[in-house]
Amino acid sequence: MITQARLHELFIYDSGRLLRRKAVKGSPMFTELGTPKPKGYCVAVVDGKMYRVNHLVWMYHHGHFVPELDHINRKRWDNRIEN
């Protein structure tokens, strides 16, 4: 499982987005992490494991995962930590 330290090593948080610190497999530096899915959540593979981006943002800030996260404004693509 990914750690907070690893997320800080790989990404920069910017207003709900995780941006790559360096280029990886054809994705340039500072590109946004995640692919939107039909239900509205963005997902991404990090170190070989798939995660929802909202869970990665939570881990980035709080250092642990929680089983469920709810978006206050009900917009599943809005991953700002205050949401």
Side-chain angles (χ1 to χ4, degrees):
M1 183 176 301
I2 196 154
T3 65
Q4 184 181 37
R6 180 71 173 144
L7 286 173
H8 284 261
E9 178 185 330
L10 296 173
F11 306 107
I12 299 166
Y13 174 81
D14 179 45
S15 300
R17 302 177 310 152
L18 291 175
L19 306 176
R20 297 179 195 285
R21 287 188 181 269
K22 53 187 167 183
V24 187
K25 292 184 183 177
S27 293
M29 191 167 139
F30 301 123
T31 56
E32 185 174 352
L33 180 71
T35 302
K37 290 298 184 183
K39 290 188 177 183
Y41 294 103
C42 287
V43 298
V45 175
V46 180
D47 291 345
K49 183 166 173 144
M50 186 173 290
Y51 298 95
R52 283 188 181 169
V53 174
N54 61 325
H55 285 263
L56 293 174
V57 168
W58 182 270
M59 168 64 94
Y60 188 96
H61 287 279
H62 298 287
H64 61 89
F65 283 112
V66 290
E68 284 189 42
L69 288 174
D70 190 16
H71 293 83
I72 294 168
N73 67 6
R74 298 291 189 219
K75 295 177 182 173
R76 294 175 175 172
W77 51 264
D78 185 353
N79 294 318
R80 292 173 298 141
I81 194 64
E82 61 269 16
N83 187 33

